[in-house]
Amino acid sequence: MRWGVRSSTGDNHGTAALCMREISRCLSESVGPAFVTFLGDRYGYRPFPAVIPADELDAMLAWISSSGSDEDKAALPALKQWFRLDENMVPRSYILQPVSTFLPDFISKDRSKQQAAGAQWWPLFEQMQAALRHASATLPDTVPDGASQAIAPRLKYHISVTNEEVIHGLLHNRARKQQALAILRSIDDMNWDTYNYIQEKEKGRAVKGYADWAEDGTIDKEAFQLQLKLKEQVAAAGLHAKHVHKYGVPVATQLRALTSSDYCMHLRAFADK
């Protein structure tokens, strides 16, 4: 989905919006299948919105100032610096500024300078992300009546880009029976509740790519539960039986290299289904 997305789009925080537009275009122009989702155990990247209605962000900033933790309050200077009010938007909204506004080397052609700017940006992003997620508890958890948006205000601060794509391309697509296909994979023999990829010296680095993790190496429980819920929603979305395929695979099989004959047989069996 993100192949061919220019670095300038990431600088402007426009990657997710671009993907949603492409999904809409596919749904409107395709005469056959238009959306295929592969969902495993990883929920994926969860950015906060790049455009936030003014009354919404003002309420969250007020909550952070009065009720937030010390860590949340420490994010206030960054939030006030990076979000600028656009009085001309309807409704009035705060716009997240391009990364290069304050860190021009983020789009430098010099790879080392670009990496150095990224090393400054991502901790700021994570600081703002955590504060906004906590403050989102003050927002409605259902879509307001008559609202044009498809996602509840609170969920916008917790949802992954992949989840949003599935909402647009499948869950809220009235023609999903004709246009959508879903493949739902689970790793059967993993005890995610106790697994720590940092402590697992033999295969931890490889397993890291199959789920979302906390800083201490344990599973990100919120992300894992959101992914389980998403797969349940897709399975219950009313697709044709042949258009939704659920399967499990042992972790050892999943981790085998593509040169392994066993893994090749696993992929062939999957493709045949």
Side-chain angles (χ1 to χ4, degrees):
M1 175 61 81
R2 296 161 190 57
W3 288 351
V5 176
R6 296 179 182 273
S7 59
S8 59
T9 305
D11 177 47
N12 289 318
H13 319 287
T15 303
L18 175 62
C19 292
M20 302 313 152
R21 289 196 298 271
E22 285 299 299
I23 290 172
S24 295
R25 185 179 65 83
C26 289
L27 297 181
S28 64
E29 297 180 5
S30 297
V31 295
F35 185 82
V36 180
T37 182
F38 293 80
L39 298 177
D41 298 290
R42 184 173 183 172
Y43 190 55
Y45 179 50
R46 297 195 284 162
F48 47 83
V51 179
I52 304 176
D55 57 350
E56 185 170 298
L57 183 56
D58 286 340
M60 288 194 290
L61 293 177
W63 181 90
I64 292 171
S65 297
S66 63
S67 304
S69 65
D70 290 342
E71 290 81 3
D72 292 337
K73 290 175 181 176
L76 283 172
L79 288 165
K80 293 177 180 179
Q81 177 187 17
W82 286 88
F83 278 95
R84 299 285 178 85
L85 181 62
D86 187 340
E87 297 278 5
N88 295 317
M89 288 193 71
V90 180
R92 295 165 60 251
S93 299
Y94 286 96
I95 311 297
L96 181 61
Q97 299 304 292
V99 180
S100 60
T101 302
F102 303 109
L103 298 170
D105 285 338
F106 191 78
I107 54 174
S108 172
K109 293 183 179 179
D110 184 319
R111 184 64 174 168
S112 61
K113 290 182 178 179
Q114 188 182 98
Q115 290 176 337
Q120 291 179 270
W121 161 246
W122 289 112
L124 284 169
F125 170 87
E126 291 173 358
Q127 182 186 47
M128 292 189 286
Q129 179 189 52
L132 289 173
R133 281 186 187 167
H134 296 156
S136 71
T138 64
L139 303 176
D141 60 359
T142 57
V143 178
D145 292 338
S148 59
Q149 67 213 43
I151 300 171
R154 186 187 303 177
L155 185 59
K156 292 187 300 183
Y157 299 89
H158 298 263
I159 196 172
S160 71
V161 175
T162 299
N163 196 155
E164 189 174 358
E165 291 167 346
V166 172
I167 288 173
H168 281 75
L170 192 154
L171 296 178
H172 288 183
N173 176 10
R174 293 181 179 179
R176 56 183 174 269
K177 284 189 175 182
Q178 294 75 38
Q179 291 189 316
L181 174 68
I183 296 93
L184 312 177
R185 187 223 65 202
S186 298
I187 298 179
D188 289 337
D189 55 348
M190 283 292 295
N191 188 340
W192 297 109
D193 289 334
T194 60
Y195 191 83
N196 187 307
Y197 82 88
I198 295 176
Q199 296 176 0
E200 174 60 73
K201 302 300 183 183
E202 182 179 352
K203 57 187 179 183
R205 181 175 295 183
V207 171
K208 180 183 178 183
Y210 291 105
D212 308 88
W213 308 92
E215 291 185 3
D216 63 359
T218 59
I219 198 73
D220 181 331
K221 293 182 179 179
E222 181 187 40
F224 193 73
Q225 289 302 316
L226 286 169
Q227 182 69 348
L228 287 177
K229 182 179 179 180
L230 177 59
K231 289 197 283 188
E232 290 171 358
Q233 289 174 328
V234 170
L239 299 180
H240 286 302
K242 292 183 178 179
H243 290 179
V244 57
H245 175 53
K246 294 190 290 184
Y247 76 102
V249 59
V251 64
T253 300
Q254 186 65 43
L255 293 177
R256 286 195 185 101
L258 291 176
T259 54
S260 164
S261 60
D262 288 346
Y263 193 76
C264 289
M265 291 298 294
H266 159 64
L267 290 179
R268 181 180 294 276
F270 164 74
D272 288 343
K273 292 181 180 179

